[in-house]
Amino acid sequence: MTIRRTKIEDAQEILILQKLAYQSEAEIYNDYTISPLIQTLEEMKDEFKDKYFLKAVVNGKIIGSVRAFVKEETCYIGRLIVHPDFQNQGTGTKLMDEIESLFSNVKRFELFTGHKSKPNIYLYQKLGYRIFSTEKITENLELVYLEKTSAIAPDRR
């Protein structure tokens, strides 16, 4: 597996992977209108203007991706996705490690996930993130915000 920067030409393949990867989230919340599932190709291409995308590639196929941007010394990480056939094999951890190393000059990292997404919360906490806030979005969805600062970031290398 190699991890490298994504090009805008990869947007369609990443969007297809994103829609596949988020099926499990949609099932958990019984909501197939979540933004990762209804995002258009044009919307994703727009994200390339201000976000840094990484991809994990195996045998020429994109099997994972993550995106991030920096604002006021915080790196906001979003949409960590891994193909279902490659989950629980370290791909997500490698993508997170790489995005964190690319933005190692920031004071903190922030991301969010749904409150019922226990495997996601577990992964982020294992990577040194801690919950700092929650936000009720609907009757069925609460967002869990996690952060990692240099003070709590473990050395996993």
Side-chain angles (χ1 to χ4, degrees), residues 101-145:
S101 69
L102 285 169
F103 294 102
S104 61
N105 59 330
V106 300
K107 291 191 175 178
R108 66 187 284 274
F109 295 92
E110 182 179 318
L111 52 79
F112 66 86
T113 191
H115 73 291
K116 294 181 184 176
S117 304
K118 302 299 183 199
N120 296 350
I121 294 169
Y122 173 79
L123 171 66
Y124 299 136
Q125 288 179 325
K126 187 176 88 169
L127 297 177
Y129 287 77
R130 66 173 182 81
I131 297 170
F132 73 92
S133 180
T134 59
E135 178 185 8
K136 189 172 184 101
I137 303 300
T138 67
E139 197 60 41
N140 196 32
L141 174 62
E142 194 172 301
L143 293 181
V144 176
Y145 291 86

Side-chain angles (χ1 to χ4, degrees), residues 14-15 17-19 21-22 33-40 43-44 47 51-54 64-68 76-82 95-96 110-113 120 124:
I14 290 173
L15 184 62
L17 176 61
Q18 174 178 295
K19 291 183 180 204
Y22 271 90
T33 63
I34 57 176
S35 61
L37 292 182
I38 62 172
Q39 185 174 27
T40 67
E43 289 169 340
M44 179 175 282
E47 287 190 73
K51 292 185 178 147
Y52 193 99
F53 282 69
L54 289 177
S65 181
V66 68
R67 62 199 80 166
Y76 295 91
I77 300 172
R79 298 205 177 149
L80 174 65
I81 56 173
V82 176
L95 283 163
M96 290 293 291
E110 182 179 318
L111 52 79
F112 66 86
T113 191
N120 296 350
Y124 299 136

Side-chain angles (χ1 to χ4, degrees), residues 39-97:
Q39 185 174 27
T40 67
L41 182 57
E42 287 309 311
E43 289 169 340
M44 179 175 282
K45 284 181 176 180
D46 279 348
E47 287 190 73
F48 276 81
K49 294 174 186 168
D50 60 2
K51 292 185 178 147
Y52 193 99
F53 282 69
L54 289 177
K55 61 184 175 182
V57 180
V58 171
N59 297 325
K61 297 294 278 179
I62 298 173
I63 58 123
S65 181
V66 68
R67 62 199 80 166
F69 69 96
V70 174
K71 184 177 179 183
E72 298 174 6
E73 300 186 18
T74 295
C75 178
Y76 295 91
I77 300 172
R79 298 205 177 149
L80 174 65
I81 56 173
V82 176
H83 190 287
D85 293 345
F86 291 88
Q87 290 178 359
N88 300 311
Q89 297 176 28
T91 304
T93 297
K94 288 176 184 166
L95 283 163
M96 290 293 291
D97 284 347

